[in-house]
Amino acid sequence: MSLLPAAFLMRYRLPVARFDRLPRTGKKLLDLPETSRLAWPRALDVPLPPIDLRAGWNPHGIGFSLCVLGRTRPVLSDPENPPRLDALELWLDTRDTQTVHRATRYCHRLFVLPVGGGPQGTEALVRPLPVPRAREDAPLADEEEFLVRSQVSSGGYMVEAWLPVQVLSGFDPATQPRLGFFCCVHDQEYGRIPFSVGEEFPAMSDPSLWHSLELVDAE
């Protein structure tokens, strides 16, 4: 019997559908359908709390939405220390180079915070940070270049983020339709929820442990 987690034994390639009308101009920034929900390999090893992550793309960028339910504590985020409270941490490699162990200039690390931005600290924001141990650092985009919205309730939150092409070095779906991908939900109540392998593996700094998002045309 293998002692390795089941999520480690396979490298997943997850389809992400194209939606030409993203980002939207209404109340919701993305409003992605159920069919755009991403499966979590982590669920092969442990039961997951009620989280829902979705993705959609077009030639102008890629968007992610996260919904976390079943909470009893107020939603809090710390822009100065993003992993400390409530946040979605994303890693993206626009070249999907899964044969290297240190990040290149095409690798990006982003924190999507449901609150913590704006004059009162009640607005969502995206905070880019360097990938640890990177061989080369990707340019850090200005936070104002991201589009982000959130809805917070007594039982949880939903946050949507649109990452435009100019903030993702090397993003070119026409010639490179796959992105290296990893993520982690940081939550006050549920703890740290990685996309696949846990902290026993250095996924936060090693792109060879990331999975793939395949950018497909069908909605």
Side-chain angles (χ1 to χ4, degrees):
M1 184 176 68
S2 174
L3 298 179
L4 293 172
F8 177 77
L9 300 178
M10 292 179 285
R11 181 171 289 162
Y12 290 80
R13 184 182 297 178
L14 305 173
V16 176
R18 174 172 172 165
F19 298 92
D20 287 331
R21 291 186 295 275
L22 298 180
R24 305 185 191 275
T25 57
K27 185 177 180 181
K28 290 188 176 181
L29 183 66
L30 305 178
D31 196 22
L32 295 170
E34 172 68 27
T35 53
S36 63
R37 184 174 184 176
L38 298 178
W40 282 68
R42 183 70 170 173
L44 295 172
D45 295 298
V46 296
L48 294 183
I51 56 176
D52 182 316
L53 180 66
R54 305 183 185 190
W57 76 282
N58 61 40
H60 303 292
I62 187 168
F64 295 89
S65 70
L66 172 70
C67 182
V68 180
L69 299 175
R71 291 172 45 115
T72 59
R73 300 179 186 176
V75 177
L76 298 172
S77 296
D78 183 354
E80 301 308 316
N81 186 10
R84 192 174 72 85
L85 297 170
D86 300 316
L88 169 64
E89 188 173 8
L90 297 170
W91 290 264
L92 294 168
D93 177 4
T94 58
R95 288 296 182 265
D96 195 30
T97 309
Q98 297 185 345
T99 57
V100 298
H101 295 284
R102 296 177 65 183
T104 71
R105 61 191 176 95
Y106 300 111
C107 297
H108 304 264
R109 180 189 181 204
L110 306 166
F111 281 91
V112 182
L113 310 181
V115 295
Q120 307 300 321
T122 58
E123 299 177 14
L125 78 154
V126 175
R127 173 143 295 181
L129 291 175
V131 178
R133 297 182 60 254
R135 188 176 66 199
E136 302 172 89
D137 288 324
L140 292 184
D142 191 300
E143 293 176 12
E144 298 300 320
E145 296 186 83
F146 300 92
L147 299 178
V148 59
R149 295 179 191 168
S150 64
Q151 297 177 4
V152 177
S153 70
S154 59
Y157 67 89
M158 187 273 290
V159 62
E160 300 175 302
W162 177 252
L163 318 180
V165 61
Q166 66 267 22
V167 307
L168 296 175
S169 175
F171 184 79
D172 185 4
T175 61
Q176 181 58 47
R178 291 203 307 270
L179 304 177
F181 174 76
F182 197 79
C183 73
C184 182
V185 172
H186 302 272
D187 190 272
Q188 296 178 75
E189 294 193 42
Y190 300 130
R192 185 180 185 274
I193 310 165
F195 188 63
S196 57
V197 295
E199 292 182 282
E200 66 274 22
F201 294 90
M204 67 179 300
S205 62
D206 186 345
S208 72
L209 295 171
W210 302 355
H211 302 275
S212 297
L213 299 182
E214 186 164 12
L215 308 180
V216 299
D217 282 332
E219 292 194 9

